[in-house]
Amino acid sequence: MNKRVLISGGGIAGLALGIFLHRSGWDPLVIERDAAVRQEGYIVDLFGTGWDMVERLGILDRLKQVRYP
């Protein structure tokens, strides 16, 4: 079965969903309205299951390296 999905929005939620679905065997396509990728970011605060999710995505160690104290 061809599992394809369109994700509207290239923010943190859309990109995380794309990664998660890709690893689960889906073929995600993330679209974004902005003309270019932003050169700066925002501070993201994680609570409870947010930490579980970044661990499942395999990026927990990297986030700990670049986190704001």
Side-chain angles (χ1 to χ4, degrees):
M1 185 166 99
N2 191 4
K3 300 184 290 184
R4 296 172 63 188
V5 63
L6 175 66
I7 301 168
S8 177
I12 189 168
L15 295 175
L17 179 61
I19 292 169
F20 181 78
L21 289 175
H22 178 74
R23 290 181 180 170
S24 298
W26 287 74
D27 182 18
L29 174 62
V30 179
I31 59 170
E32 175 56 51
R33 180 172 57 175
D34 283 344
V37 176
R38 292 186 180 138
Q39 297 302 311
E40 64 279 338
Y42 298 97
I43 293 177
V44 176
D45 201 359
L46 297 174
F47 299 95
T49 57
W51 286 107
D52 297 336
M53 191 62 194
V54 296
E55 186 171 25
R56 288 177 65 188
L57 288 170
I59 60 173
L60 180 59
D61 290 337
R62 179 69 180 125
L63 282 181
K64 287 181 176 180
Q65 293 172 2
V66 298
R67 71 179 182 179
Y68 186 77

